[in-house]
Amino acid sequence: MWYRPKPLIPPGTRIDFMGGRRVGFAFSSALTLMAIFFFFHQGLAYGIDFKGGILMEVRAREGVADLALMRDKLGGLGLGEHDLQGFGQPSDAAIRIAQQPGGEAAQQRAVEKVRTALGPGFDYRRVEFVGPKVGDELVRAGIIAAVMALLGIMAYIWFRFEWQFALGGAATVFHDMITTVGLFSFTQMQFDLNTLAAILTIAGYSLNDTVVVYDRIREDLRKYKKMPLVELFNLALNETLSRTVLTSLTTMLALVALVMFGGEVISGFSIAMIWGVIVGTYSTCFISVPLLLYMNMRRQVEADDVQGSPAGGKTVP
């Protein structure tokens, strides 16, 4: 006899998500305001990608590049913030070092320190200085990418659903992105291109979760034409709750493994994604759907379902 595991969310679960919408709005508003406050009060701890620094690409002459040993050697040089990661072939590694005070001469001394510490077993294929101007361009490009993603999301949901859904989805994505930035500002964890990639990934993850619920709401609006919207939204959230929880849990398992075993290089990406999964799941239930109640949302009721209605039917809230 085959074993049938019990469902994670029992059938018939009826959680009153709409009943907690005011608390959810208050909590989200406070979280967003705190994120904005910390961002303008103490800013972000920008990484080398944004602040500028030294970029070196090296290749081990024999065997693979021992990243752990190289990282230990670089850590004792006193060069401040640095980053090391493999790329391309196993023998290749990229080294990024924060900009050194003292002009070009100081940058050259830092490069010589690295060469001496790593020893003669490496070929230096590329050594260049990334100036702050490049970092400023990356900041602008990152902001433009986030804004374009938000506008694209709004346009897509508006096209597939209605304008109310577009505003709700955009508000949810904005909430998730800005609170992630606030987390990095509050903790002063390094904010680099990996973190920016995580923020854009969070936007996609949050949107995916929200669209699934919105699609179920659209189906239920056609199916239950006279059900009050509060009850209908609760029904849609509970019907998709099993999918939401399972997706979040399985994603979280992978991210926890990345935090524990992925190393320093992708720790910022992993932590940002963990926060994004948590806040994205929460915002779907307590922001994106409850917001629809305050947008004068109306639905079409067929003439046959309303006694005495004109042939063309009518809309009701």
Side-chain angles (χ1 to χ4, degrees), residues 55-133:
L55 173 63
M56 305 174 66
E57 293 182 3
V58 301
R59 170 172 290 177
R61 293 177 179 174
E62 296 182 1
V64 300
D66 189 339
L67 299 182
L69 179 60
M70 295 171 64
R71 199 170 280 119
D72 290 340
K73 291 180 178 180
L74 293 176
L77 297 179
L79 297 177
E81 180 188 338
H82 61 277
D83 179 36
L84 174 67
Q85 64 184 42
F87 76 100
Q89 301 179 14
S91 58
D92 295 339
I95 302 172
R96 293 183 178 88
I97 302 172
Q99 183 179 2
Q100 305 295 303
E104 184 176 351
Q107 317 310 317
Q108 294 295 336
R109 288 194 296 269
V111 171
E112 291 303 320
K113 285 184 179 181
V114 173
R115 290 177 181 269
T116 302
L118 295 182
F122 292 89
D123 292 325
Y124 295 84
R125 309 181 63 199
R126 176 185 176 193
V127 179
E128 65 181 37
F129 172 66
V130 181
K133 182 179 179 180

Side-chain angles (χ1 to χ4, degrees), residues 141-153:
I143 294 174
I144 292 173
V147 172
M148 293 300 293
L150 197 61
L151 293 176
I153 287 169

Side-chain angles (χ1 to χ4, degrees), residues 32 36 292 299 309 312:
T32 303
I36 295 173
L292 297 178
R299 51 187 170 179
S309 64

Side-chain angles (χ1 to χ4, degrees), residues 47-54 97-99 129-132 135:
I48 297 169
D49 296 321
F50 297 109
K51 292 193 303 185
I54 303 167
I97 302 172
Q99 183 179 2
F129 172 66
V130 181

Side-chain angles (χ1 to χ4, degrees), residues 31-51:
L31 201 62
T32 303
L33 291 175
M34 288 175 60
I36 295 173
F37 169 78
F38 281 112
F39 176 76
F40 286 104
H41 179 66
Q42 60 188 33
L44 295 169
Y46 289 111
I48 297 169
D49 296 321
F50 297 109
K51 292 193 303 185

